[in-house]
């Protein structure tokens, strides 16, 4: 919360995650990366007393939808609807508490087309002839998911658009041929592009005046891009999949808006649908993405935002944070729906349980570097750092302290421990250093300390009793962003039902009722 005089003032924070491409359900890489991190962030901002909107949609206009539908022998529309239903169910199972999760509709499509047409009319884009792979058999130009090869920067296997390995942009015709798709001959075609080099001063000034810290991988993308001539980004592609525009006239080759730049307009549109219900605008926008989306978030989206404001489009210019993650690996390979290298989030959630899954995925999230996921290691971690301490706490406190209340100031030991744990959680939830790994580690240490001390509590010492109970009670608030079911269990242990968002400022305010038992 911001300070205004001596009283804290609630900030208006919008939170989102990379809109999932509706070519399948969420896998564990999605959940452990941007999806769970964004949910923990939205919840943590709520316990700080901020006004939070948490909204997203599916990314229906990506060419991955078409390629996956072709591979599965279904239609894109059927695939989108099936994926929407599956992802919605998985979000609910994971406790991801979005205010809005929908798919693009006619109103959204009109909003996007109007946004880009406004910029086009004001000269923000350039018409350029480019070489694109051309399939003479179908009479179609190929781009994005239709084109694979080797990244010309880092040599990793990549699809056209953005390299998932280094995060840098590549044009469809620039990939090094590596298979029959990229071996197609190229043909010149005119498209509309956003020439980032033309807008270098706008973007350089954006970064020069920003005080928002970047995670190392995104900072690397920014530094490497600014150090060279910046590329031009297709705003339209020849084709019929996506949102069509007729900027070249009715007789010209059909063109649709590139789905990657379109995502920025979704960041404007979807939270706006929630805030339009009588809530004010936004002070801060926090976007969680995989590093493969880093280039667009670092350059294309700021350029679109700044150009829209420059050309009189009514857009908000909130403080913007882009928090990236690296990838979970499955036997050394990146999780990938399109390649079939996945563990499905729903399967794991049903097997492990919601809180247990949220805890271990937060603790091992690939925030800053790639990490290997195995169910065996995850289960071992859960047994030692979550299940065992909770079982010890429930048994020891149930035997010793059932019926006791927080009726005295905590002893000095407990007072120090409560303050230390609150500091750890607050540091993890602070946006400048936000980390779900740190939040899960803070939770694990809180449980570890309470489990170690539970058997040593002196029932004759009211300060010791009150301190132990208050240390447990603080988890009602501190644990709520990471493990909401545990937070509710702690509330029930003191006779409190769900009463809305528990505030961090009230975390150490003693519960009204006596301790009963902690359900496990």
């Amino acid at each position: 919360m911001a300070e205004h005089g001596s009283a804290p003032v609630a900030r208006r924070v919008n939170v989102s995650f990379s809109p999932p491409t509706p070519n399948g359900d969420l896998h564990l890489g999605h959940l452990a990366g941007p999806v769970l991190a964004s949910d923990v962030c939205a919840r943590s901002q709520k316990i700080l007393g901020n006004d939070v909107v948490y909204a997203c949609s599916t990314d229906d206009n990506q060419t991955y939808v078409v390629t996956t539908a072709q591979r599965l022998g279904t239609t894109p529309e059927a695939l989108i609807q099936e994926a929407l239903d599956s992802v919605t169910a998985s979000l609910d199972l994971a406790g991801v508490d979005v205010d809005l999760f929908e798919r693009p509709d006619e109103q959204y499509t009109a909003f996007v087309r109007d946004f880009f047409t406004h910029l086009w009319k004001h000269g923000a884009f350039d018409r350029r002839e480019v070489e694109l792979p051309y399939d003479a058999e179908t009479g179609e130009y190929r781009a994005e998911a239709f084109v694979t090869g080797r990244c010309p920067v880092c040599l990793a296997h990549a699809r056209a658009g953005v390299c998932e390995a280094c995060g840098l942009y590549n044009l469809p015709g620039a990939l090094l041929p590596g298979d029959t798709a990229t071996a197609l001959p190229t043909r010149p075609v005119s498209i509309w592009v956003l020439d980032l080099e033309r807008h270098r001063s706008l973007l350089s000034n954006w970064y020069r005046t920003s005080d928002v810290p970047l995670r190392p991988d995104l900072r690397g993308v920014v530094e490497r891009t600014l150090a060279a001539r910046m590329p031009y980004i297709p705003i339209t592609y020849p084709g019929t999949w996506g949102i069509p525009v007729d900027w070249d006239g009715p007789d010209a080759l059909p063109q649709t808006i590139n789905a990657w730049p379109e995502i920025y307009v979704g960041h404007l549109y979807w939270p706006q649908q929630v805030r339009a219900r009588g809530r004010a605008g936004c002070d801060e926008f926090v976007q969680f993405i995989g590093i493969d989306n880093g280039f667009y978030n670092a350059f294309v989206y700021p350029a679109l935002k700044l150009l829209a404001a420059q050309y009189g489009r009514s857009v908000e210019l909130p403080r913007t944070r882009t928090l990236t993650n690296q990838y979970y690996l499955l036997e050394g390979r990146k999780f990938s729906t399109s390649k079939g290298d996945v563990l499905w989030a729903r399967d794991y959630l049903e097997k492990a349980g919601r809180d247990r899954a949220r805890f271990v995925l937060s603790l091992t999230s690939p925030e800053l570097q790639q990490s290997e996921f195995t169910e065996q290691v995850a289960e071992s971690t859960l047994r030692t750092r979550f299940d065992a301490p909770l079982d010890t706490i429930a048994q020891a406190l149930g035997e010793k302290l059932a019926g006791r209340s927080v009726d005295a100031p905590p002893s000095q030991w407990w007072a120090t421990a409560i303050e230390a744990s609150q500091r750890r959680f607050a540091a993890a939830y602070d946006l400048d250093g936000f980390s779900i790994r740190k939040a899960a580690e803070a939770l694990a240490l809180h449980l570890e300390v309470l489990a170690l001390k539970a058997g040593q509590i002196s029932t004759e010492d009211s300060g010791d009793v009150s301190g132990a109970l208050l240390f447990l009670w603080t988890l009602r608030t501190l644990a709520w962003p990471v493990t909401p079911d545990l937070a509710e269990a702690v509330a029930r242990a003191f006779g409190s039902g769900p009463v809305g968002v528990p505030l961090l400022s009230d975390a150490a305010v003693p519960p009204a009722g006596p301790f009963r038992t902690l359900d496990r």
Side-chain angles (χ1 to χ4, degrees), residues 269-289:
Y269 182 83
W270 298 112
Q272 194 177 89
Q273 302 312 294
V274 180
R275 291 204 177 272
R277 304 166 194 167
R279 297 170 69 173
C282 158
D283 300 311
E284 190 144 6
F285 175 59
V286 190
Q287 166 72 4
F288 287 83
I289 62 169

Side-chain angles (χ1 to χ4, degrees), residues 289-342:
I289 62 169
I291 187 56
D292 53 331
N293 298 327
F295 175 83
Y296 278 99
N297 280 265
F299 288 98
V300 179
Y301 302 166
L304 291 174
K305 172 169 56 179
L306 296 170
L307 287 168
Q310 179 177 309
Y311 294 132
R313 181 82 184 187
S314 179
V315 295
E316 292 180 334
L317 296 173
R319 195 162 192 257
T320 301
R321 297 177 187 272
T322 300
L323 299 183
T324 54
N325 63 266
Q326 282 287 341
Y327 308 121
Y328 256 160
L329 301 178
L330 181 65
E331 297 179 356
R333 302 184 305 277
K334 173 185 176 292
F335 277 63
S336 172
T337 302
S338 58
K339 296 178 184 177
D341 293 333
V342 294

